[in-house]
Amino acid sequence: MDLTQNVVYVVLMTDHETLLKRDQLRIPEHQMGERCLILIQEFNESGLNRKYLLDTDRKNVDEISLVIDDIMNNKQYSLDD
C-alpha cells in the first residue's frame, strides 16, 4: 500500500478594516476587538514566510469554497516542497 500525504500550511490574512468588520459579525462574547489588530502585528513581526499568506481582503462567505480549493490545490502552501 502506497500512502502519501501532503501537509498544507496557510495563514489567512486581511487588512485591519476588514478584520474588524468581520469581528463585529461574531456574537459579542466571541468578538476579539482590538486583540485582532495585536495578533496581525504579531504575525507580521514573527518572520512568517510570506508565501504562506493568503490575502482574503476581497473574499466573502460566498467564496469560501474557492478559498478552500485554492488552499488544497496550490503547491505554494505545501510544506512538502
Side-chain angles (χ1 to χ4, degrees):
M1 182 188 318
D2 184 26
L3 298 176
T4 60
Q5 57 187 332
N6 180 31
V7 177
V8 175
Y9 175 70
V10 178
V11 175
L12 304 177
M13 191 64 77
T14 191
D15 62 71
H16 293 116
E17 181 181 337
T18 303
L19 183 60
L20 290 173
K21 284 180 185 177
R22 291 175 181 172
D23 187 49
Q24 290 295 308
L25 297 173
R26 296 180 175 132
I27 58 174
E29 57 267 20
H30 293 164
Q31 292 178 7
M32 296 179 63
E34 292 296 314
R35 179 76 176 127
C36 293
L37 303 179
I38 293 168
L39 290 173
I40 283 182
Q41 187 65 30
E42 288 177 6
F43 267 115
N44 288 333
E45 293 173 355
S46 72
L48 176 71
N49 187 332
R50 310 295 287 173
K51 87 174 202 168
Y52 298 114
L53 293 180
L54 177 57
D55 183 356
T56 63
D57 286 349
R58 294 182 181 94
K59 303 294 182 191
N60 62 51
V61 72
D62 297 329
E63 297 174 286
I64 193 68
S65 61
L66 297 173
V67 171
I68 293 169
D69 186 59
D70 184 30
I71 292 169
M72 299 304 293
N73 295 303
N74 190 332
K75 294 282 187 192
Q76 169 181 337
Y77 307 122
S78 175
L79 291 179
D80 295 334
D81 291 336

